[in-house]
């Protein structure tokens, strides 16, 4: 199980690009890298997933270096509605590895 | 599709009482799981199921039972509630068990044990 390390909290102003980096030094070859978003009083929601290099969807981009020991979630031009907790998950199998969502990064967008 | 539904939304119990938290999904997902979320602790896996009739323990299973008689339903039973079980409980489902499969979460049940 690859342990992940993320900043506990981040603040950003509206309209800026936000980058949240997750460290996972002991990632295994077949592990997925997945990011989830959680708003207050709601369950987490899938944002993006990648294996290597760069992945982009309508919500975010995910940058993964060649050694895969870290990953960076990039949110372009954030708005107040992006205020949430962001979780980085690294692993192959939810059940067998008993994957848990760590404390995540609490992102606060300032008007 | 309703997705993942959970009932009740809120519940207050007294120490020693038992209850069942309900979870249902209409996406025909094989994998279902229960998490609890405590302040500053993230989400921790309680129990999971890879299909009807198959369940297994997660990281924090003590004090909880589960069963999976159908693909759709995955109830979580608290046998004898304790104040330490005060938490927000989330049910999730996904097509498979792989971390590459998107997990869909329910709205949660906020449980208080007095």
């Amino acid at each position: 199980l690859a342990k992940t390390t993320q900043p506990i909290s981040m603040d950003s102003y509206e309209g800026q690009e936000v980058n949240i980096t997750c460290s996972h030094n002991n990632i295994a070859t077949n592990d997925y890298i997945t990011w989830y978003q959680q708003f207050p009083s709601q369950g987490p929601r899938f944002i993006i997933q990648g294996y290597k290099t760069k992945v982009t969807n309508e919500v975010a981009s995910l940058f993964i270096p060649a050694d895969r020991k870290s990953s960076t979630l990039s949110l372009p031009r954030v708005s107040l509605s992006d205020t949430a907790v962001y979780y980085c998950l690294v692993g192959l199998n939810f059940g067998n590895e008993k994957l848990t969502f760590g404390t995540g990064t609490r992102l606060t967008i300032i008007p | 599709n309703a997705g993942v539904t959970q009932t009740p939304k809120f519940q207050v119990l007294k120490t020693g009482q038992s209850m069942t938290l309900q979870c249902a999904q209409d996406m025909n997902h094989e994998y279902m799981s229960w998490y609890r979320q405590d302040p500053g602790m993230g989400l921790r896996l309680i129990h999971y199921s890879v299909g009807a009739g198959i369940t297994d323990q997660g990281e924090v299973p003590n004090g909880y039972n589960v069963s999976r008689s159908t693909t759709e339903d995955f109830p979580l039973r608290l046998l004898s509630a304790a104040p330490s079980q005060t938490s927000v409980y989330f049910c999730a489902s996904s097509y498979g068990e792989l971390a590459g499969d998107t997990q869909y979460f329910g709205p949660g049940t906020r449980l208080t044990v007095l």
Side-chain angles (χ1 to χ4, degrees), chain A residues 32 34 36 38 41-46 49 87 89-104, chain B residues 31 35 37 40-45 48 56-59 90 94 96-103 105-107 110:
Chain A
Y32 296 92
T34 312
Y36 283 77
Q38 185 179 25
S41 301
Q42 294 185 27
R45 183 182 70 144
F46 171 86
Q49 180 185 88
Y87 298 96
L89 262 71
V90 174
L92 177 63
N93 184 295
F94 277 116
N96 281 345
E97 297 177 17
K98 301 184 186 350
L99 280 184
T100 59
F101 292 67
T103 52
Chain B
Y31 183 80
Y35 293 87
Q37 184 170 35
M41 296 288 290
L43 285 88
R44 293 181 292 170
L45 183 64
Y48 66 95
D56 206 343
Q57 296 181 349
E59 181 188 9
F90 290 101
S94 56
E97 192 181 0
L98 289 177
D101 296 318
T102 300
Q103 287 218 44
F105 285 80
R110 185 174 296 274

Side-chain angles (χ1 to χ4, degrees), chain B residues 1-7 21-34 49-54 67-76 91-94 104 106:
Chain B
N1 287 349
V4 180
T5 58
Q6 292 183 237
T7 56
L21 279 62
Q22 301 292 343
C23 174
Q25 53 90 10
D26 61 359
M27 296 173 282
N28 202 31
H29 285 166
E30 289 296 326
Y31 183 80
M32 296 186 73
S33 56
W34 277 100
S49 169
V50 297
I54 306 169
S67 61
R68 183 97 178 269
S69 57
T70 67
T71 298
E72 295 78 19
D73 301 299
F74 190 44
L76 178 71
C91 178
S93 76
S94 56
Y104 296 88

Side-chain angles (χ1 to χ4, degrees), chain A residues 13-69:
Chain A
Y13 288 98
E14 276 191 295
Q16 291 189 331
E17 178 184 74
V18 172
N19 295 311
I20 305 174
T21 297
C22 179
S23 297
H24 28 83
N25 290 321
N26 56 339
I27 186 170
T29 302
N30 295 325
D31 283 347
Y32 296 92
I33 300 169
T34 312
W35 286 78
Y36 283 77
Q37 173 191 57
Q38 185 179 25
F39 297 115
S41 301
Q42 294 185 27
R45 183 182 70 144
F46 171 86
I47 302 178
I48 197 166
Q49 180 185 88
Y51 184 76
K52 58 182 178 181
T53 65
K54 175 185 175 182
V55 179
T56 297
N57 62 21
E58 65 278 4
V59 176
S61 294
L62 181 61
F63 298 91
I64 305 169
D67 65 6
R68 305 207 322 133
K69 293 184 183 299

